[in-house]
Each structure stands twice: as structure tokens, then as C-alpha cells.
Amino acid sequence: AQSVAQPEDQVNVAEGNPLTVKCTYSVSGNPYLFWYVQYPNRGLQFLLKYITGDNLVKGSYGFEAEFNKSQTSFHLKKPSALVSDSALYFCAVRDDTDKLIFGTGTRLQVFP
Amino acid sequence: NAGVTQTPKFRVLKTGQSMTLLCAQDMNHEYMYWYRQDPGMGLRLIHYSVGEGTTAKGEVPDGYNVSRLKKQNFLLGLESAAPSQTSVYFCASSRILAQTDTQYFGPGTRLTVL
């Protein structure tokens, strides 16, 4: 069965430093992977997705994610964090019935 | 273009009461979804719809019913609320090519059942 794991409940980073939010997946077949962000008291917003092609996917707000098939990972990255990036980040994988399976979320805290 | 809207934003119920949550989208999307979000558990799919007049069960459907009488609306009902249904509920929609398509989420409804 398809699944996705976010091993860190919270990631803390200083403003201006690079950030990484980790995600690993388990699928049978080709993975369709997504990152969503949730700001306080808001719904989820799409950041980026990997369907096929280049392993480095660029998304909104300067975020990017690296697909690594051998490590079954899809980590979210940003070269220089902003305080406004502080939010809850969800990794998701499309299952074989076309529905999204979400990870448990990682809270990113960027300190000034 | 409002995207996905949800009504109400907040609600407090007593155990055993019923209520309906309304989701509306103006993007002409075929697929609509209801999720619940609980701390430490991410989002879990309750029910979904692949088109007007159709509904299907998701991961956690017990205690909920849904209807999709109009393409733009997706209703989630709780017939007899229980404290375990205290949660934040999100509606989402996507186009018909759901396998690779983006889901658009509403702002959420925070429900407390006492």
C-alpha cells in the first residue's frame, strides 16, 4: 500500500539559512508526489509536484524539491529561508485509486 | 473567482446534534473531497465525489454522509455528532484528470463537539 512519511514533527532554521523538510514514500509503480503548505488558520496551498522528468522540481515561493528514486525520498528545500515561510508543510503521494495520501506534516519555524 | 469556499467557519455542537457543512467551488471541477485534519495525523479523506450525483467512501467515512446534487457543491453531514468528530474539516476540488492534478482547498471549518 502507498504511504508517505515525514520523520520530523518540527524543523527550526534561522532566517537566511537553507532549509530542508524531509519526506519519504512507498508506492507500487510510478510515484506522483506533492508538497502542500498550510499557513495558520488557512487551507492547504499547492507548492509543487513531481510527475515525471527532472528530479529537481521548482515550485512556488522559491521552494524546490528533489526526487530521489533510490532513496524513495522527495525532500523540500529552499536556499534561503524567510520568517514568512513558517508554516505547516505536508508531503503527499497519489495512490493507485487517484486519491492523495498525506503525511503527518512538519512544522517549519524560521527564526529572525 | 472565489475558488473553494466553506460554510460555516466555526461550529460548536452538543453530542447527538446534527449539522451540514457546505463546500462550494467555482472552478468547474469534477472531483471534490472532504478531509478531516487532526493533530499528528495529517489529513484523512472522509468521502469524495468524481462528478455530480456521485459519491464514494474515503479512509474514514463512518459517522458522515455526503451529497453532490450540483456540480459546484459538496455537502458533508453529521447525523449524530460525537466528540470524536471534533476536528478541522477541509473541502478540496480538482479537475477530472485527478491522477496528476492539483487539489485546491477551502479555508476549513473548525468543529467542536461537546
Side-chain angles (χ1 to χ4, degrees):
Chain A
Q2 284 85 347
S3 65
V4 62
Q6 295 181 243
E8 302 155 316
D9 290 337
Q10 180 155 331
V11 170
N12 298 317
V13 64
E15 188 174 32
N17 284 359
L19 69 88
T20 299
V21 182
K22 295 179 180 177
C23 173
T24 59
Y25 66 90
S26 174
V27 299
S28 53
N30 294 325
Y32 298 107
L33 298 157
F34 301 76
W35 275 102
Y36 284 82
V37 60
Q38 184 181 28
Y39 297 103
N41 301 313
R42 304 284 297 276
L44 277 70
Q45 296 178 30
F46 170 77
L47 272 181
L48 50 81
K49 63 184 176 184
Y50 172 82
I51 305 301
T52 187
D54 290 340
N55 291 341
L56 187 63
V57 179
K58 293 189 182 298
S60 306
Y61 311 121
F63 283 92
E64 57 190 24
E66 186 172 9
F67 172 68
N68 187 317
K69 188 173 183 178
S70 62
Q71 297 186 5
T72 62
S73 66
F74 189 56
H75 300 333
L76 182 70
K77 299 182 179 183
K78 188 174 182 181
S80 179
L82 299 172
V83 172
S84 57
D85 292 330
S86 298
L88 189 56
Y89 290 81
F90 289 97
C91 182
V93 63
R94 183 75 69 180
D95 73 7
D96 53 12
T97 61
D98 286 346
K99 295 186 290 295
L100 280 180
I101 299 172
F102 287 88
T104 52
T106 297
R107 187 164 300 280
L108 173 66
Q109 191 72 47
V110 181
F111 295 95
Chain B
N1 189 335
V4 180
T5 58
Q6 293 182 231
T7 357
K9 288 186 171 55
F10 303 93
R11 187 73 185 267
V12 178
L13 292 178
K14 295 181 180 179
T15 297
Q17 288 184 318
S18 63
M19 77 163 295
T20 300
L21 282 68
L22 172 64
C23 175
Q25 52 95 3
D26 61 2
M27 297 174 283
N28 202 35
H29 285 171
E30 291 290 338
Y31 284 55
M32 296 187 75
Y33 315 80
W34 276 108
Y35 292 92
R36 59 177 289 171
Q37 183 181 26
D38 302 293
M41 301 190 73
L43 274 75
R44 292 181 292 168
L45 183 64
I46 304 170
H47 286 280
Y48 65 101
S49 168
V50 301
E52 181 179 319
T54 72
T55 63
K57 294 180 180 180
E59 180 185 356
V60 288
D62 294 342
Y64 306 94
N65 56 76
V66 288
S67 64
R68 184 102 180 265
L69 299 180
K70 294 182 179 181
K71 185 177 183 179
Q72 63 267 33
N73 295 337
F74 194 29
L75 278 63
L76 178 71
L78 286 73
E79 291 184 348
S80 179
S84 61
Q85 294 177 305
T86 294
S87 187
V88 182
Y89 292 86
F90 289 99
C91 177
S93 70
S94 65
R95 294 178 303 174
I96 194 168
L97 297 175
Q99 189 176 39
T100 60
D101 205 16
T102 300
Q103 290 189 11
Y104 295 84
F105 285 80
T109 295
R110 186 173 296 274
L111 174 66
T112 301
V113 182
L114 302 175

